[in-house]
Amino acid sequence: MTDGISDGDGTRCVRAGLPDPVPGQPFLPGPVFAAPYHLDPWQGPAAAANGYGRPDNPTRRLLEAAIGELEGGDCRVFASGQAAITGLLLALLRPGDAVVLPADGYFPVRAFAADTLAGIGVRVHLAPTAGPYPSFDGVRLVLVETPANPGLDVVDVAALAWDAHAAGALVAVDNTTATPLGQRPLDLGADLVVASGTKALTGHSDLLLGYVATRTPDLLDPVTAWRTVTGAVPGAFDAWLAHRSLATLDLRLARQSANAEALAHLLADRPDIAGLRWPGLPGDPAYAVAAAQMRRLPGVLSFDLGSAERVARFLDAARLVGAATSFGGVHTTADRRAQWGDDTAPGFVRLSCGIEDTADLLADVTAALG
């Protein structure tokens, strides 16, 4: 893992994880499809980097090097974001441990905590992203998601890490919404980063991916071991496709953020829109912390249309806003979060801006709302 943060975002994204140039070889080698590899008859797997496809794949390692460079740590990729976050929790928590999870973050994580973590004797505490937080005394791990999905609250990672470390707790930050170009939690004092690469990181809505990154070998080793024994690895083609997609991350985020800013200002002036949230708006409750902590703002915003019926009418009428879950892709999408189990109002919408021309997107949203 190398830092490389002195280069610009576009440069880092284009070059992240690429092997040294060799005449006659491609910039990014194609995916290596293999379950077994040839073994040395005398030394076995100790003689080479690759022994068996579950723990060993060179395509996967190149992707891990790329994400590690962007996050500023050593990385392990998983088959999905949910595989990464559940793997992190199960690798680090034991019966009797206590964990603090976001009350307003990704709903399947809370469901997993209630169904699985509590069932094996882990004490689960929930806290809103913006606080207040419980005492961290006796807590093993504090997991935060900032900006939170779907409500987009933000927490001061450095301050939270200070408080948690003073009590002996570890801090993991879900960096899915921000991406490593939006913020680098390890630089802010977090012990671990976890994220879904399905979203803006790869950005083309065509693969599932997750990852965990850290600068601490004692934390990375159990995560790696967990992934090996559970087999929660991405396939070689998905790893290659994700690495290829990283090259345009800077460009995609720039347009998505610009579209979100323009759309947020448009919606802020409409009396038929309630509860608008985007951390880049000066009046947003998260603005001050986001402005100080984040290097760029996400292309995701949320608002309330008042009823499930109005959300359906809006999505039916829109030409450029697709009805779909997930976020961070090149196409603008929106979904009504209550239908997925989130504790939100019936008309609450999470909208993810794509890379369409800003004027076209604004015109389409205005017409659809009308």
Side-chain angles (χ1 to χ4, degrees):
M1 180 274 296
T2 58
D3 194 342
I5 199 168
S6 58
D7 289 329
D9 285 348
T11 301
R12 294 192 299 123
C13 289
V14 166
R15 303 190 66 85
L18 296 183
D20 292 335
V22 175
Q25 297 300 311
F27 287 88
L28 177 63
V32 174
F33 299 109
Y37 303 87
H38 289 292
L39 295 177
D40 183 285
W42 298 94
Q43 299 182 63
N50 300 312
Y52 182 64
R54 175 158 37 86
D56 307 319
N57 184 278
T59 307
R60 189 188 309 147
R61 288 197 297 271
L62 287 178
L63 174 62
E64 290 174 339
I67 298 174
E69 289 177 23
L70 297 180
E71 285 286 5
D74 291 308
C75 172
R76 294 293 179 268
V77 292
F78 284 76
S80 69
Q82 189 71 353
I85 200 165
T86 56
L88 168 68
L89 294 171
L90 288 171
L92 298 184
L93 297 174
R94 296 292 180 267
D97 285 345
V99 62
V100 177
L101 301 177
D104 52 346
Y106 189 48
F107 172 73
V109 176
R110 295 196 301 279
F112 171 79
D115 295 341
T116 301
L117 293 183
I120 63 172
V122 174
R123 293 175 288 126
V124 178
H125 306 288
L126 301 178
T129 297
Y133 283 86
S135 169
F136 296 140
D137 290 340
V139 170
R140 166 67 171 160
L141 176 68
V142 180
L143 172 67
V144 294
E145 183 180 6
T146 180
N149 166 34
L152 300 177
D153 269 330
V154 171
V155 65
D156 185 330
V157 173
L160 181 77
W162 178 273
D163 291 340
H165 290 161
L170 296 169
V171 174
V173 174
D174 186 328
N175 209 26
T176 301
T177 306
T179 82
L181 298 194
Q183 65 191 8
R184 300 220 310 180
L186 299 178
D187 290 347
L188 299 171
D191 301 288
L192 302 119
V193 173
V194 62
S196 169
T198 308
K199 312 296 193 296
L201 188 80
T202 58
H204 291 274
S205 307
D206 54 9
L207 61 88
L208 297 177
L209 188 80
Y211 68 88
V212 175
T214 181
R215 295 172 181 170
T216 307
D218 287 347
L219 297 176
L220 187 67
D221 289 347
V223 170
T224 304
W226 176 266
R227 187 188 67 174
T228 298
V229 299
T230 61
V233 295
F237 185 73
D238 280 356
W240 178 87
L241 194 60
H243 198 165
R244 188 203 66 167
S245 300
L246 284 182
T248 60
L249 177 59
D250 173 58
L251 300 174
R252 290 185 279 106
L253 290 182
R255 174 60 68 85
Q256 290 167 336
S257 183
N259 280 348
E261 181 176 14
L263 189 56
H265 285 291
L266 172 74
L267 297 178
D269 294 332
R270 293 188 63 105
D272 57 346
I273 298 292
L276 174 66
R277 295 297 307 272
W278 186 64
L281 281 176
D284 190 275
Y287 176 79
V289 176
Q293 177 171 283
M294 300 185 68
R295 299 176 61 240
R296 65 174 77 194
L297 280 301
V300 182
L301 47 92
S302 63
F303 50 89
D304 196 331
L305 290 181
S307 69
E309 181 185 9
R310 188 172 181 225
V311 175
R313 291 202 308 268
F314 165 67
L315 292 174
D316 264 345
R319 180 175 63 92
L320 300 180
V321 184
T325 193
S326 195
F327 58 91
V330 294
H331 311 91
T332 294
T333 61
D335 68 335
R336 192 174 65 83
R337 291 309 301 166
Q339 66 190 334
W340 300 103
D342 283 325
D343 185 18
T344 56
F348 179 95
V349 174
R350 181 186 66 194
L351 189 145
S352 171
C353 292
I355 62 172
E356 298 89 354
D357 286 303
T358 304
D360 295 338
L361 182 59
L362 296 183
D364 185 58
V365 169
T366 300
L369 287 173

